[in-house]
PDB file of all heavy atoms in Angstrom:
ATOM      1  N   TRP A  65      16.742   6.255  45.785  1.00  0.00           N
ATOM      2  CA  TRP A  65      17.143   6.851  44.521  1.00  0.00           C
ATOM      3  C   TRP A  65      17.999   8.081  44.739  1.00  0.00           C
ATOM      4  O   TRP A  65      19.048   8.232  43.992  1.00  0.00           O
ATOM      5  CB  TRP A  65      15.874   7.185  43.702  1.00  0.00           C
ATOM      6  CG  TRP A  65      16.271   7.562  42.298  1.00  0.00           C
ATOM      7  CD1 TRP A  65      16.590   6.769  41.246  1.00  0.00           C
ATOM      8  CD2 TRP A  65      16.352   8.881  41.801  1.00  0.00           C
ATOM      9  NE1 TRP A  65      16.901   7.489  40.175  1.00  0.00           N
ATOM     10  CE2 TRP A  65      16.712   8.799  40.380  1.00  0.00           C
ATOM     11  CE3 TRP A  65      16.146  10.156  42.373  1.00  0.00           C
ATOM     12  CZ2 TRP A  65      16.930   9.935  39.675  1.00  0.00           C
ATOM     13  CZ3 TRP A  65      16.333  11.272  41.503  1.00  0.00           C
ATOM     14  CH2 TRP A  65      16.728  11.104  40.199  1.00  0.00           C
ATOM     15  N   LEU A  66      17.637   8.910  45.693  1.00  0.00           N
ATOM     16  CA  LEU A  66      18.428  10.112  45.952  1.00  0.00           C
ATOM     17  C   LEU A  66      19.831   9.700  46.476  1.00  0.00           C
ATOM     18  O   LEU A  66      20.849  10.327  46.267  1.00  0.00           O
ATOM     19  CB  LEU A  66      17.757  10.939  47.092  1.00  0.00           C
ATOM     20  CG  LEU A  66      16.624  11.801  46.470  1.00  0.00           C
ATOM     21  CD1 LEU A  66      15.865  12.469  47.639  1.00  0.00           C
ATOM     22  CD2 LEU A  66      17.093  12.817  45.520  1.00  0.00           C
ATOM     23  N   GLY A  67      19.927   8.535  47.102  1.00  0.00           N
ATOM     24  CA  GLY A  67      21.214   8.047  47.642  1.00  0.00           C
ATOM     25  C   GLY A  67      22.074   7.682  46.451  1.00  0.00           C
ATOM     26  O   GLY A  67      23.344   7.747  46.463  1.00  0.00           O
ATOM     27  N   THR A  68      21.461   7.181  45.351  1.00  0.00           N
ATOM     28  CA  THR A  68      22.257   6.828  44.138  1.00  0.00           C
ATOM     29  C   THR A  68      22.694   8.073  43.380  1.00  0.00           C
ATOM     30  O   THR A  68      23.789   8.125  42.856  1.00  0.00           O
ATOM     31  CB  THR A  68      21.469   5.901  43.300  1.00  0.00           C
ATOM     32  OG1 THR A  68      20.363   6.503  42.704  1.00  0.00           O
ATOM     33  CG2 THR A  68      21.071   4.645  43.919  1.00  0.00           C
ATOM     34  N   VAL A  69      21.904   9.039  43.344  1.00  0.00           N
ATOM     35  CA  VAL A  69      22.068  10.255  42.556  1.00  0.00           C
ATOM     36  C   VAL A  69      22.945  11.258  43.318  1.00  0.00           C
ATOM     37  O   VAL A  69      24.021  11.713  42.819  1.00  0.00           O
ATOM     38  CB  VAL A  69      20.825  10.961  42.123  1.00  0.00           C
ATOM     39  CG1 VAL A  69      21.108  12.256  41.392  1.00  0.00           C
ATOM     40  CG2 VAL A  69      20.050   9.963  41.192  1.00  0.00           C
ATOM     41  N   VAL A  70      22.533  11.676  44.532  1.00  0.00           N
ATOM     42  CA  VAL A  70      23.185  12.670  45.264  1.00  0.00           C
ATOM     43  C   VAL A  70      24.382  12.075  46.076  1.00  0.00           C
ATOM     44  O   VAL A  70      25.451  12.599  46.112  1.00  0.00           O
ATOM     45  CB  VAL A  70      22.224  13.311  46.237  1.00  0.00           C
ATOM     46  CG1 VAL A  70      22.871  14.450  47.054  1.00  0.00           C
ATOM     47  CG2 VAL A  70      21.046  13.994  45.358  1.00  0.00           C
ATOM     48  N   GLY A  71      24.118  10.976  46.759  1.00  0.00           N
ATOM     49  CA  GLY A  71      25.148  10.319  47.611  1.00  0.00           C
ATOM     50  C   GLY A  71      26.016   9.403  46.871  1.00  0.00           C
ATOM     51  O   GLY A  71      27.041   8.996  47.359  1.00  0.00           O
ATOM     52  N   GLU A  72      25.715   9.044  45.640  1.00  0.00           N
ATOM     53  CA  GLU A  72      26.472   8.166  44.784  1.00  0.00           C
ATOM     54  C   GLU A  72      26.836   6.834  45.525  1.00  0.00           C
ATOM     55  O   GLU A  72      27.881   6.382  45.545  1.00  0.00           O
ATOM     56  CB  GLU A  72      27.785   8.801  44.357  1.00  0.00           C
ATOM     57  CG  GLU A  72      27.500  10.013  43.490  1.00  0.00           C
ATOM     58  CD  GLU A  72      28.792  10.735  42.977  1.00  0.00           C
ATOM     59  OE1 GLU A  72      29.879  10.196  43.212  1.00  0.00           O
ATOM     60  OE2 GLU A  72      28.675  11.768  42.410  1.00  0.00           O
ATOM     61  N   SER A  73      25.801   6.295  46.196  1.00  0.00           N
ATOM     62  CA  SER A  73      25.899   4.988  46.866  1.00  0.00           C
ATOM     63  C   SER A  73      25.375   3.882  45.995  1.00  0.00           C
ATOM     64  O   SER A  73      24.190   3.820  45.662  1.00  0.00           O
ATOM     65  CB  SER A  73      25.120   5.014  48.171  1.00  0.00           C
ATOM     66  OG  SER A  73      25.580   6.056  49.052  1.00  0.00           O
ATOM     67  N   ALA A  74      26.213   2.951  45.628  1.00  0.00           N
ATOM     68  CA  ALA A  74      25.843   1.880  44.697  1.00  0.00           C
ATOM     69  C   ALA A  74      24.860   0.918  45.382  1.00  0.00           C
ATOM     70  O   ALA A  74      24.025   0.331  44.787  1.00  0.00           O
ATOM     71  CB  ALA A  74      27.079   1.083  44.255  1.00  0.00           C
ATOM     72  N   TRP A  75      24.956   0.764  46.761  1.00  0.00           N
ATOM     73  CA  TRP A  75      24.080  -0.193  47.456  1.00  0.00           C
ATOM     74  C   TRP A  75      22.615   0.196  47.417  1.00  0.00           C
ATOM     75  O   TRP A  75      21.693  -0.556  47.522  1.00  0.00           O
ATOM     76  CB  TRP A  75      24.527  -0.341  48.911  1.00  0.00           C
ATOM     77  CG  TRP A  75      24.475   1.018  49.665  1.00  0.00           C
ATOM     78  CD1 TRP A  75      25.534   1.867  49.860  1.00  0.00           C
ATOM     79  CD2 TRP A  75      23.381   1.529  50.335  1.00  0.00           C
ATOM     80  NE1 TRP A  75      25.157   2.944  50.545  1.00  0.00           N
ATOM     81  CE2 TRP A  75      23.790   2.782  50.861  1.00  0.00           C
ATOM     82  CE3 TRP A  75      22.085   1.188  50.524  1.00  0.00           C
ATOM     83  CZ2 TRP A  75      22.890   3.629  51.602  1.00  0.00           C
ATOM     84  CZ3 TRP A  75      21.180   1.956  51.275  1.00  0.00           C
ATOM     85  CH2 TRP A  75      21.635   3.231  51.736  1.00  0.00           C
ATOM     86  N   ALA A  76      22.409   1.541  47.190  1.00  0.00           N
ATOM     87  CA  ALA A  76      21.017   2.045  47.176  1.00  0.00           C
ATOM     88  C   ALA A  76      20.350   1.514  45.957  1.00  0.00           C
ATOM     89  O   ALA A  76      19.088   1.393  45.988  1.00  0.00           O
ATOM     90  CB  ALA A  76      21.073   3.579  47.199  1.00  0.00           C
ATOM     91  N   VAL A  77      21.023   1.196  44.912  1.00  0.00           N
ATOM     92  CA  VAL A  77      20.262   0.609  43.683  1.00  0.00           C
ATOM     93  C   VAL A  77      19.668  -0.725  44.137  1.00  0.00           C
ATOM     94  O   VAL A  77      18.564  -0.999  43.689  1.00  0.00           O
ATOM     95  CB  VAL A  77      21.303   0.360  42.515  1.00  0.00           C
ATOM     96  CG1 VAL A  77      20.730  -0.435  41.482  1.00  0.00           C
ATOM     97  CG2 VAL A  77      21.851   1.639  42.079  1.00  0.00           C
ATOM     98  N   TRP A  78      20.342  -1.544  44.925  1.00  0.00           N
ATOM     99  CA  TRP A  78      19.799  -2.828  45.339  1.00  0.00           C
ATOM    100  C   TRP A  78      18.622  -2.597  46.325  1.00  0.00           C
ATOM    101  O   TRP A  78      17.640  -3.406  46.258  1.00  0.00           O
ATOM    102  CB  TRP A  78      20.909  -3.650  46.036  1.00  0.00           C
ATOM    103  CG  TRP A  78      22.006  -3.941  45.003  1.00  0.00           C
ATOM    104  CD1 TRP A  78      23.206  -3.430  44.962  1.00  0.00           C
ATOM    105  CD2 TRP A  78      21.892  -4.839  43.858  1.00  0.00           C
ATOM    106  NE1 TRP A  78      23.884  -3.956  43.905  1.00  0.00           N
ATOM    107  CE2 TRP A  78      23.104  -4.858  43.207  1.00  0.00           C
ATOM    108  CE3 TRP A  78      20.796  -5.644  43.382  1.00  0.00           C
ATOM    109  CZ2 TRP A  78      23.338  -5.489  42.023  1.00  0.00           C
ATOM    110  CZ3 TRP A  78      21.108  -6.356  42.161  1.00  0.00           C
ATOM    111  CH2 TRP A  78      22.349  -6.322  41.568  1.00  0.00           C
ATOM    112  N   VAL A  79      18.679  -1.668  47.073  1.00  0.00           N
ATOM    113  CA  VAL A  79      17.500  -1.279  47.940  1.00  0.00           C
ATOM    114  C   VAL A  79      16.314  -0.907  47.097  1.00  0.00           C
ATOM    115  O   VAL A  79      15.209  -1.325  47.340  1.00  0.00           O
ATOM    116  CB  VAL A  79      17.908  -0.109  48.948  1.00  0.00           C
ATOM    117  CG1 VAL A  79      16.654   0.390  49.706  1.00  0.00           C
ATOM    118  CG2 VAL A  79      18.958  -0.558  49.924  1.00  0.00           C
ATOM    119  N   MET A  80      16.546  -0.048  46.123  1.00  0.00           N
ATOM    120  CA  MET A  80      15.438   0.322  45.209  1.00  0.00           C
ATOM    121  C   MET A  80      14.840  -0.948  44.521  1.00  0.00           C
ATOM    122  O   MET A  80      13.639  -1.061  44.423  1.00  0.00           O
ATOM    123  CB  MET A  80      15.860   1.209  44.086  1.00  0.00           C
ATOM    124  CG  MET A  80      16.088   2.687  44.497  1.00  0.00           C
ATOM    125  SD  MET A  80      16.549   3.808  43.207  1.00  0.00           S
ATOM    126  CE  MET A  80      16.736   2.950  41.786  1.00  0.00           C
ATOM    127  N   LEU A  81      15.618  -1.799  44.032  1.00  0.00           N
ATOM    128  CA  LEU A  81      15.174  -3.015  43.370  1.00  0.00           C
ATOM    129  C   LEU A  81      14.374  -3.901  44.398  1.00  0.00           C
ATOM    130  O   LEU A  81      13.369  -4.465  43.965  1.00  0.00           O
ATOM    131  CB  LEU A  81      16.273  -3.852  42.754  1.00  0.00           C
ATOM    132  CG  LEU A  81      16.937  -3.233  41.511  1.00  0.00           C
ATOM    133  CD1 LEU A  81      18.151  -3.959  41.079  1.00  0.00           C
ATOM    134  CD2 LEU A  81      15.897  -3.123  40.416  1.00  0.00           C
ATOM    135  N   GLY A  82      14.876  -3.971  45.630  1.00  0.00           N
ATOM    136  CA  GLY A  82      14.197  -4.725  46.606  1.00  0.00           C
ATOM    137  C   GLY A  82      12.859  -4.221  47.031  1.00  0.00           C
ATOM    138  O   GLY A  82      11.887  -4.918  47.357  1.00  0.00           O
ATOM    139  N   LEU A  83      12.707  -2.874  46.906  1.00  0.00           N
ATOM    140  CA  LEU A  83      11.383  -2.200  47.197  1.00  0.00           C
ATOM    141  C   LEU A  83      10.427  -2.224  46.104  1.00  0.00           C
ATOM    142  O   LEU A  83       9.222  -2.022  46.284  1.00  0.00           O
ATOM    143  CB  LEU A  83      11.704  -0.715  47.583  1.00  0.00           C
ATOM    144  CG  LEU A  83      12.502  -0.532  48.908  1.00  0.00           C
ATOM    145  CD1 LEU A  83      12.826   0.927  49.034  1.00  0.00           C
ATOM    146  CD2 LEU A  83      11.654  -0.955  50.099  1.00  0.00           C
TER     147      LEU A  83
END
Side-chain angles (χ1 to χ4, degrees):
W65 189 78
L66 285 171
T68 63
V69 173
V70 178
E72 298 179 11
S73 301
W75 60 267
V77 172
W78 297 108
V79 172
M80 281 183 0
L81 289 174
L83 293 171

